[in-house]
Amino acid sequence: MPKIYFSHSYDKLKYENGRLCLSAKLIEAIPVNLQDLSGEFLDYDTEGLFPLPKSGRYILLLFFKRKGNIFSTLRP
C-alpha cells in the first residue's frame, strides 16, 4: 500500500500523551476545492507551516488512528 509522508510532526498526528502516531488507516478521500474550505480548517490542516494556494482542486484525506481519533490532510 502507498505511504503518505508528513514533513512536520503536526499536532494532529500526536496522541493526547504527546506520542506521534506512526500509522493510520485511510477511511475517506474527498475531492475538494480549496476556495470552498474555511480559513479555520486550512489553519488546522497546515498549522500555518505549509502555505497553500488560494484555490485549486485537492483531495481531503481522512485517517483513523487508534483510540478513535480522526485527522485529515489535504493533498493536490
Side-chain angles (χ1 to χ4, degrees), residues 6-58:
F6 292 85
S7 60
H8 177 73
S9 296
Y10 293 98
D11 286 339
K12 64 185 174 184
L13 302 177
K14 297 176 184 174
Y15 293 106
E16 293 80 17
N17 64 7
R19 296 188 69 187
L20 187 63
C21 173
L22 299 178
S23 67
K25 181 179 180 179
L26 178 66
I27 57 173
E28 190 67 68
I30 305 165
V32 297
N33 292 309
L34 287 182
Q35 63 271 22
D36 295 335
L37 301 174
S38 70
E40 290 82 5
F41 179 79
L42 296 174
D43 288 343
Y44 151 79
D45 194 70
T46 65
E47 292 182 12
L49 299 172
F50 187 79
L52 293 173
K54 297 281 185 201
S55 64
R57 300 226 0 111
Y58 272 59

Side-chain angles (χ1 to χ4, degrees), residues 39-76:
E40 290 82 5
F41 179 79
L42 296 174
D43 288 343
Y44 151 79
D45 194 70
T46 65
E47 292 182 12
L49 299 172
F50 187 79
L52 293 173
K54 297 281 185 201
S55 64
R57 300 226 0 111
Y58 272 59
I59 299 173
L60 172 62
L61 301 174
L62 294 177
F63 292 92
F64 176 81
K65 58 184 180 178
R66 67 181 173 85
K67 296 187 180 179
N69 293 303
I70 293 175
F71 68 92
S72 66
T73 190
L74 290 164
R75 298 296 165 120

